[in-house]
Amino acid sequence: MQSNSFTILDNSLQEKLKALNINQPTNVQEKVIPQIAAGKNILFQSETGTGKTFAYLLPLVNKMEKEQDSKLRLLIIAPTFELASQINTAAKSITQRKTALLIGGSPIKRQIETLKEKPQIVCGTAARLVELIRLKKLKIQDLTACVFDECDRLIKKESFPDTEELRSLLPKETQLIGCSATINKSCRLFFNNVETIMLPNEHILSKNITHWAIYSEKRDKIDTLRKFLYAEKPSKALIFTSRADEVENIYTKLKYKKIECTALHAKAEKQVRKSAIDKFRSGKINILITSDLCARGLDITNVSHIIQMDLPNDDDFFIHRSGRTARAGKNGINVVIGDEFEMNHYAELEKKLGLTVYPKEIRNGQICEPVL
């Protein structure tokens, strides 16, 4: 008989999972749920789209459901507003316990009012959480667990000071959990003396995602993108570019060509970002242009195509970008529109990650094999 880590959860949680049409744990959930339930400090790596959020939320919420008090028990740190909001929504889907979303760029007074309602689960970004703790508005003395989601991103140079300070403020006995699709040496150093669990590669990048390469000079890329969208007619496409200003440039030029789309980048206001995500998630708009910082860790169902308008310097970003499609066992297409330098880099990634990349051309409004 196949083991099922869900059986250690309370019946009420199992019923909530059934209502969400989740009946069997994924591999990462099978491995991690019992470890977290046992109170272990762990750092775990699992590919994108394998169910990491519920892998830690389920056992931690399960513990809380057995308690009668209303103290803050669980703190979850994410690198972006979008991911923190997504985790908060996931928590709400499995528990009636009060949650709070505390992120930078939003009115702190309103968040202080929210804390007066005594949330038991708080999701947020490190800088704002530190600020609220320092102001003695976020009281963490009764915390039992703290999760660092997308931990490799949290300890990057720009985020590290806030992440490190937050960890230093945690009560000594707090259960520590870190996770990402790409755990590196820096993660292991940050989570020293913590058990590391590396889930076997499920080869989602190579098995579930078809990789295409379309050559284009830099000056022609947006026009190539436009032709691709007309030819392929993707049901739901996520377009990546490394630079925030280029997000706006692509958006403006596609809108000028009467292509319905929306844009998401770190410099935009929170409400604008939320609106863009909501429209894309709900299907009101099926093309979203974004930067890496915003889309990190996003779980949006039925993304059929990833289109990369450049290749990031950090190969981990390529993995995280590509992994926004083919989630929960589905298939998807990852397209790189690149110049000669990027195509050479793509060839290196093909070998390094064990992919098969298929060159494509756009001719007469059709996606075709290149003419040799």
Side-chain angles (χ1 to χ4, degrees):
M1 184 176 165
Q2 187 179 0
S3 62
N4 188 331
S5 61
F6 289 170
T7 57
I8 70 173
L9 306 173
D10 277 0
N11 287 336
S12 61
L13 262 182
Q14 292 187 49
E15 288 303 315
K16 286 196 169 76
L17 288 174
K18 284 177 186 172
L20 294 169
N21 204 25
I22 300 171
N23 300 303
Q24 281 291 329
T26 64
N27 289 343
V28 65
Q29 291 161 3
E30 188 63 49
K31 182 77 174 174
V32 166
I33 286 174
Q35 303 280 340
I36 295 178
K40 290 185 179 179
N41 296 333
I42 67 166
L43 172 64
F44 67 95
Q45 174 178 298
S46 183
E47 288 175 271
T48 58
T50 52
K52 289 187 288 296
T53 304
F54 275 161
Y56 64 73
L57 268 182
L58 288 167
L60 294 173
V61 166
N62 194 57
K63 279 185 187 178
M64 292 172 61
E65 299 292 77
K66 297 171 184 175
E67 297 170 349
Q68 299 303 314
D69 62 51
S70 58
K71 294 173 180 175
L72 173 59
R73 295 298 192 187
L74 174 56
L75 193 62
I76 304 168
I77 303 107
T80 66
F81 153 70
E82 284 78 17
L83 181 55
S85 178
Q86 180 177 287
I87 296 165
N88 189 54
T89 300
K92 284 176 179 290
S93 74
I94 57 169
T95 182
Q96 296 297 311
R97 302 282 171 143
K98 284 183 181 173
T99 72
L101 180 63
L102 306 175
I103 42 116
S106 293
I108 195 166
K109 285 185 179 178
R110 194 179 302 161
Q111 292 177 1
I112 289 170
E113 288 301 311
T114 299
L115 287 171
K116 290 178 183 176
E117 297 171 14
K118 297 187 175 177
Q120 291 169 275
I121 300 170
V122 164
C123 306
T125 48
R128 177 52 56 91
L129 294 173
V130 167
E131 185 179 5
L132 287 163
I133 293 168
R134 291 292 187 201
L135 289 169
K136 295 185 167 48
K137 301 299 181 182
L138 178 60
K139 299 183 171 96
I140 58 172
Q141 70 273 11
D142 297 306
L143 211 60
T144 54
C146 182
V147 180
F148 295 81
D149 200 320
E150 299 282 351
C151 56
D152 59 325
R153 185 75 210 165
L154 287 170
I155 59 172
K156 290 274 188 186
K157 187 178 179 181
E158 67 273 15
S159 310
F160 183 74
D162 293 318
T163 304
E164 185 180 40
E165 184 174 0
L166 183 54
R167 181 173 171 173
S168 74
L169 295 169
L170 297 174
K172 191 178 177 185
E173 299 305 314
T174 306
Q175 182 181 6
L176 291 178
I177 296 152
C179 66
S180 182
T182 48
I183 284 174
N184 52 31
K185 186 179 177 183
S186 298
C187 282
R188 290 191 179 89
L189 287 171
F190 184 77
F191 290 93
N192 61 332
N193 301 321
V194 168
E195 183 179 345
T196 302
I197 298 173
M198 308 291 281
L199 271 292
N201 197 321
E202 297 178 36
H203 303 290
I204 290 169
L205 275 186
S206 57
K207 287 182 179 175
N208 296 24
I209 301 174
T210 302
H211 298 271
W212 290 354
I214 298 177
Y215 175 81
S216 176
E217 294 289 352
K218 267 192 170 52
R219 64 178 179 274
D220 300 325
K221 279 190 178 186
I222 297 177
D223 197 46
T224 302
L225 170 65
R226 178 187 62 79
K227 290 175 182 174
F228 177 84
L229 294 171
Y230 276 125
E232 183 69 1
K233 296 179 178 59
S235 58
K236 203 165 195 173
L238 197 48
I239 300 167
F240 280 98
T241 182
S242 298
R243 289 168 32 215
D245 59 341
E246 192 58 19
V247 171
E248 201 62 39
N249 186 33
I250 294 168
Y251 170 75
T252 302
K253 289 184 177 176
L254 290 185
K255 288 288 281 185
Y256 180 74
K257 293 291 185 178
K258 305 291 191 289
I259 294 174
E260 195 59 36
C261 58
T262 188
L264 178 72
H265 58 82
K267 292 179 182 176
E269 292 184 4
K270 293 289 184 294
Q271 205 52 43
V272 174
R273 288 163 64 173
K274 184 179 185 303
S275 174
I277 281 286
D278 289 348
K279 285 176 184 174
F280 187 62
R281 200 186 291 277
S282 68
K284 286 181 181 175
I285 289 179
N286 63 4
I287 297 171
L288 174 65
I289 307 144
T290 184
S291 61
D292 295 296
L293 291 179
C294 291
R296 186 68 180 255
L298 280 184
D299 184 11
I300 297 172
T301 57
N302 302 322
V303 173
S304 60
H305 292 68
I306 300 297
I307 304 166
Q308 305 198 37
M309 299 296 287
D310 51 35
L311 280 176
N313 294 326
D314 187 336
D315 293 348
D316 286 350
F317 276 87
F318 175 86
I319 294 169
H320 284 275
R321 284 178 174 188
S322 305
R324 299 309 103 205
T325 188
R327 299 180 76 79
K330 293 192 169 75
N331 296 316
I333 294 173
N334 173 53
V335 185
V336 174
I337 298 176
D339 59 18
E340 186 177 356
F341 176 79
E342 287 160 330
M343 288 297 136
N344 288 335
H345 185 188
Y346 200 10
E348 291 168 8
L349 279 174
E350 183 178 17
K351 289 177 186 174
K352 180 180 175 181
L353 300 175
L355 312 175
T356 301
V357 175
Y358 299 94
K360 297 289 178 181
E361 285 182 357
I362 307 166
R363 292 196 309 276
N364 304 320
Q366 299 288 319
I367 310 292
C368 313
E369 305 296 321
V371 177
L372 299 175

